[in-house]
Amino acid sequence: MYNLIQHLPGVIYEFTIAPDGSKSFTFISENCSAILGIDASAAREKYEMLEAIIFEADRESFYESLCTSFHQRTEWNWEGRIIKENTIRWIETRSNYEEREGSIIRKGIVLDITERKIREQESELRYQSLVEQLPIGVGVHMGGRLVFANRYACTMMAASPSDLIGKSIIELVHPRYREKVVERMARVVRGESLPMVEEKFIRLDGEVIDVEVGAIPFTYNGLPASQIIVRDITDRKKAEAEKTKNETLFSQLFNSVPMGV
């Protein structure tokens, strides 16, 4: 069993929080050195060594996820970057939650997911390169805020990418349609793909435009998101209105002619 554990493509560990609040690795597999760049015996003596290698920009999410899991007494799952031998690597760590004689026991595994992250990033770059050339608005939002908008979407909304990224989707929707859009966004989060429907958007310069919008569940940078497809139909709606107006005028003129036709 010992040899099997040491040859797994991940670090197996047991982490204990004692009743007095002290923390320690009660077990951590020897391949810790190969995967994380930390000697297993040193990690058992000083658990903070593992926290010290976490990439600085990812530490906040690391501690937030730990606290959430601790207070909710749930399984812990976190992805982030570490510094291993002066290089950045991606890891994923998972552990259960168990209470035993006043102590909290977490048994889990740490996986190196660097290659997977590289493939995801390459896929994102190909995606962005493709959609930048499309003659239709494409956006991606997470939690209701835009994280990506292609060139056509920016032009359509009279904005630059920096103007749109981070902006709430609802802010761009005409007030008359916001309730409907919130309901559709919730459906996409549940996994539904939504057909194109007509709505109105408000451009950053204040102009109201007619659009057709569709949405699908999406994965962006490895995280759940929603992709929206937007077609500007303002000119078409104006042409339809003008046609209807002309037909109405013609009908009125036709009916008022003082002779049988």
CSV table of all heavy atoms in Angstrom, one decimal, residues 17 35 45 50 104 109 111 150 160 166 176 193 203 234 247:
chain,number,residue,atom,x,y,z
A,17,ILE,N,-6.8,19.3,12.8
A,17,ILE,CA,-7.0,20.5,13.7
A,17,ILE,C,-7.4,20.0,15.0
A,17,ILE,O,-8.5,19.5,15.2
A,17,ILE,CB,-8.0,21.5,13.1
A,17,ILE,CG1,-7.6,21.9,11.7
A,17,ILE,CG2,-8.1,22.7,14.0
A,17,ILE,CD1,-8.6,22.8,11.0
A,35,ILE,N,6.0,16.7,-6.4
A,35,ILE,CA,4.9,17.4,-6.9
A,35,ILE,C,4.8,18.9,-6.5
A,35,ILE,O,4.5,19.8,-7.2
A,35,ILE,CB,3.6,16.7,-6.6
A,35,ILE,CG1,3.6,15.3,-7.3
A,35,ILE,CG2,2.4,17.5,-6.9
A,35,ILE,CD1,2.4,14.5,-6.9
A,45,GLU,N,6.5,18.6,10.0
A,45,GLU,CA,6.9,19.4,11.2
A,45,GLU,C,6.4,20.8,11.2
A,45,GLU,O,6.2,21.4,12.2
A,45,GLU,CB,8.5,19.4,11.2
A,45,GLU,CG,9.1,18.1,11.4
A,45,GLU,CD,10.6,18.2,11.4
A,45,GLU,OE1,11.2,19.3,11.3
A,45,GLU,OE2,11.3,17.1,11.5
A,50,LEU,N,3.5,24.5,3.3
A,50,LEU,CA,2.6,24.4,2.1
A,50,LEU,C,1.9,25.7,1.8
A,50,LEU,O,1.8,26.0,0.6
A,50,LEU,CB,1.6,23.3,2.4
A,50,LEU,CG,0.7,22.9,1.2
A,50,LEU,CD1,1.5,22.4,0.1
A,50,LEU,CD2,-0.4,21.9,1.7
A,104,ILE,N,-10.8,18.0,14.1
A,104,ILE,CA,-11.3,18.0,12.7
A,104,ILE,C,-10.2,17.3,11.9
A,104,ILE,O,-9.0,17.7,11.9
A,104,ILE,CB,-11.5,19.4,12.3
A,104,ILE,CG1,-12.6,20.1,13.1
A,104,ILE,CG2,-11.9,19.5,10.8
A,104,ILE,CD1,-12.8,21.6,12.9
A,109,ILE,N,-6.3,15.0,-1.3
A,109,ILE,CA,-5.3,14.8,-2.3
A,109,ILE,C,-5.0,16.1,-3.0
A,109,ILE,O,-5.9,16.9,-3.1
A,109,ILE,CB,-5.7,13.7,-3.3
A,109,ILE,CG1,-4.6,13.4,-4.3
A,109,ILE,CG2,-7.0,14.2,-4.0
A,109,ILE,CD1,-4.9,12.2,-5.2
A,111,LEU,N,-3.4,17.5,-6.5
A,111,LEU,CA,-3.0,17.1,-7.9
A,111,LEU,C,-2.3,18.3,-8.6
A,111,LEU,O,-2.7,19.4,-8.5
A,111,LEU,CB,-4.3,16.7,-8.7
A,111,LEU,CG,-5.1,15.5,-8.1
A,111,LEU,CD1,-6.4,15.4,-8.9
A,111,LEU,CD2,-4.3,14.2,-8.1
A,150,ASN,N,-16.3,40.7,-27.5
A,150,ASN,CA,-15.5,40.8,-28.7
A,150,ASN,C,-15.6,42.2,-29.3
A,150,ASN,O,-16.4,43.1,-28.8
A,150,ASN,CB,-15.9,39.7,-29.7
A,150,ASN,CG,-17.3,40.0,-30.3
A,150,ASN,OD1,-18.1,40.7,-29.8
A,150,ASN,ND2,-17.6,39.3,-31.4
A,160,SER,N,-15.3,50.7,-25.3
A,160,SER,CA,-14.0,50.0,-25.5
A,160,SER,C,-14.1,48.7,-24.6
A,160,SER,O,-15.0,48.6,-23.7
A,160,SER,CB,-12.9,50.9,-25.0
A,160,SER,OG,-13.0,51.1,-23.6
A,166,GLY,N,-16.3,43.8,-16.6
A,166,GLY,CA,-16.6,44.0,-15.2
A,166,GLY,C,-18.0,44.7,-15.0
A,166,GLY,O,-18.4,44.8,-13.9
A,176,ARG,N,-37.3,48.1,-19.2
A,176,ARG,CA,-38.5,47.3,-19.5
A,176,ARG,C,-38.3,45.8,-19.6
A,176,ARG,O,-39.2,45.0,-19.4
A,176,ARG,CB,-39.1,47.8,-20.8
A,176,ARG,CG,-40.5,47.3,-21.1
A,176,ARG,CD,-40.9,47.6,-22.6
A,176,ARG,NE,-40.6,48.9,-23.0
A,176,ARG,CZ,-40.5,49.3,-24.3
A,176,ARG,NH1,-40.8,48.4,-25.2
A,176,ARG,NH2,-40.3,50.5,-24.6
A,193,SER,N,-30.0,26.1,-22.6
A,193,SER,CA,-29.6,26.9,-23.7
A,193,SER,C,-30.8,27.7,-24.2
A,193,SER,O,-31.8,27.0,-24.5
A,193,SER,CB,-29.0,26.1,-24.8
A,193,SER,OG,-27.8,25.4,-24.4
A,203,ARG,N,-26.9,51.6,-25.0
A,203,ARG,CA,-25.5,51.8,-25.3
A,203,ARG,C,-24.9,52.7,-24.2
A,203,ARG,O,-25.6,53.4,-23.5
A,203,ARG,CB,-25.2,52.3,-26.7
A,203,ARG,CG,-25.8,51.5,-27.8
A,203,ARG,CD,-25.4,51.8,-29.2
A,203,ARG,NE,-24.9,53.2,-29.4
A,203,ARG,CZ,-24.1,53.5,-30.4
A,203,ARG,NH1,-23.9,52.6,-31.4
A,203,ARG,NH2,-23.7,54.8,-30.6
A,234,THR,N,-31.5,47.0,-34.9
A,234,THR,CA,-32.1,48.4,-34.9
A,234,THR,C,-32.5,48.8,-36.3
A,234,THR,O,-33.6,49.3,-36.5
A,234,THR,CB,-31.1,49.4,-34.3
A,234,THR,OG1,-30.7,48.9,-33.0
A,234,THR,CG2,-31.7,50.7,-34.2
A,247,GLU,N,-47.4,51.4,-45.4
A,247,GLU,CA,-48.6,50.6,-45.8
A,247,GLU,C,-49.8,51.2,-45.2
A,247,GLU,O,-50.9,51.2,-45.8
A,247,GLU,CB,-48.4,49.2,-45.2
A,247,GLU,CG,-47.3,48.4,-46.0
A,247,GLU,CD,-47.1,47.0,-45.4
A,247,GLU,OE1,-47.5,46.8,-44.3
A,247,GLU,OE2,-46.5,46.2,-46.1
